[in-house]
Amino acid sequence: MDELDGLEIRHLRYFLMVAREGKILTASQELNIAQPSLSQLIQRLERRLGLVLFNRTARGMELTAAGEVFRRGAERILAELDEVLAEAGSTARVVRAGVCAGVVPALLGDIENAIMRNSEKPVSPKFSAESSSRQLELLRTGELDFAIVRLPFDAAEFEVVTVADQELGVVLHTGHPLAGRTELEWADLRDQWLLWFDARRAPGYAQGLLASLATHGWRPRLHTMDNDRHALFTHTLRSVPGLVALRPRSTAAGDPQLTWIPISGGGPREQLGLAALREGGHGETLRRMGREWFPSS
């Protein structure tokens, strides 16, 4: 098969055009190449294959018996190649998306559907758990395509769509002295410890939340737990006296050991954003998402 070394797809297409048109001049005009160049290419193809593909006559270029066999083979090769390319092009490309702690399954499903709906080509999102700050680093290095992060953060280089905006209430273990209340005042919280997280994971959110609490006169002592597992979250609230958490209502849903109590006048809010680098196709996907209604959790 050494005679096929250097044979290119374009050579097959050029050959088929000459076979179809029957004239070098007409074929060269269709291909938008010079007539002498096309004539030389056909001659080199014949030499490479060791075959006479055309009879040159006064009427033009007529396929020989070998040329007819080669034509059928070339058409089959190009048809199969077109099928392969079409199949490859229709296969959904995996896009990588990070997920911060606390994203509920319904919201994750909304985000997955929105990414697929707004991408120019078929994509299949693949999610992995990462802190908000880590996700932004991975976006910069190209290891992630999208990031679900807590807001705010420095978004100068990113396109961001807000995908959730939820009120925070007080999450308590059912054995806590305040657990029987239907609503809490800020004054009720001033002696309570606050279950906290490593602020480096979402520094903008952490700073903003503590600043908001301070405006209401609550500067809580922090009990840091750097683990997102719900079982440990529940255990910590049960085992540490005077400990509360600020979370969306969904945190306590379905857990008989926990209760969620709203704060009078409304609690702080937690916003989640879907981010991608502003420059590039994923940034354009987010811009399209921002122009349509986005389902919230």
Side-chain angles (χ1 to χ4, degrees):
M1 299 294 289
D2 290 344
E3 67 272 12
L4 297 183
D5 289 348
L7 185 64
E8 300 177 17
I9 296 299
R10 66 186 179 96
H11 297 153
L12 300 182
R13 297 193 187 281
Y14 290 175
F15 161 77
L16 290 174
M17 181 63 73
V18 174
R20 189 185 74 184
E21 297 297 334
K23 295 181 182 297
I24 289 286
L25 177 60
T26 307
S28 66
Q29 292 172 340
E30 289 291 328
L31 295 167
N32 198 29
I33 62 176
Q35 178 181 350
S37 297
L38 180 58
S39 181
Q40 293 170 12
L41 184 147
I42 295 297
Q43 292 173 16
R44 288 198 298 271
L45 178 62
E46 290 178 316
R47 288 196 299 269
R48 182 178 294 278
L49 297 176
L51 299 171
V52 177
L53 301 175
F54 292 99
N55 287 320
R56 280 78 172 168
T57 70
R59 292 187 301 273
M61 305 284 283
E62 296 180 352
L63 286 171
T64 64
E68 181 62 32
V69 172
F70 188 73
R71 179 190 64 79
R72 292 196 297 269
E75 288 177 341
R76 186 168 59 250
I77 290 170
L78 292 180
E80 291 178 355
L81 179 60
D82 287 342
E83 289 180 6
V84 169
L85 293 175
E87 181 179 351
S90 65
T91 301
R93 184 171 68 86
V94 173
V95 293
R96 301 148 301 175
V99 184
C100 64
V103 178
V104 297
L107 176 60
L108 202 59
D110 287 343
I111 292 171
E112 180 177 38
N113 291 334
I115 290 174
M116 293 189 295
R117 187 169 61 247
N118 286 278
S119 296
E120 290 185 342
K121 297 181 179 180
V123 297
S124 175
K126 180 180 180 181
F127 296 100
S128 60
E130 298 285 353
S131 70
S132 294
S133 57
R134 177 61 176 158
Q135 287 184 66
L136 298 178
E137 295 174 9
L138 295 176
L139 283 179
R140 293 186 180 99
T141 61
E143 296 171 72
L144 282 180
D145 302 302
F146 296 97
I148 306 173
V149 296
R150 279 183 171 76
L151 304 178
F153 65 90
D154 184 2
E157 62 194 296
F158 301 104
E159 197 73 35
V160 185
V161 171
T162 300
V163 295
D165 186 344
Q166 305 174 94
E167 179 184 0
L168 299 180
V170 181
V171 177
L172 308 165
H173 189 269
T174 52
H176 192 286
L178 298 175
R181 303 278 292 275
T182 58
E183 188 176 75
L184 292 172
E185 303 289 338
W186 286 105
D188 297 321
L189 300 173
R190 286 176 185 162
D191 294 328
Q192 304 297 310
W193 286 72
L194 177 63
L195 184 57
W196 199 238
F197 59 95
D198 185 346
R200 293 173 297 181
R201 302 179 66 183
Y205 171 74
Q207 293 167 11
L209 180 55
L210 291 177
S212 176
L213 301 184
T215 63
H216 294 284
W218 187 26
R219 292 177 172 82
R221 291 170 292 178
L222 304 177
H223 181 94
T224 301
M225 183 191 75
D226 190 24
N227 190 298
D228 299 327
R229 296 193 178 278
H230 186 81
L232 183 57
F233 174 78
T234 301
H235 172 77
T236 304
L237 286 175
R238 182 182 71 240
S239 58
V240 179
L243 183 65
V244 303
L246 287 177
R247 295 288 193 278
R249 182 187 294 270
S250 58
T251 303
D255 189 332
Q257 299 185 70
L258 299 179
T259 185
W260 185 90
I261 305 175
I263 300 172
S264 178
R269 303 196 71 81
E270 176 193 73
Q271 290 187 324
L272 300 177
L274 181 64
L277 286 176
R278 179 160 290 154
E279 300 300 325
H282 299 309
E284 180 56 34
T285 296
L286 284 191
R287 285 188 284 275
R288 283 193 290 272
M289 289 171 61
R291 293 193 288 267
E292 68 171 30
W293 175 79
F294 195 98
S296 60
S297 61

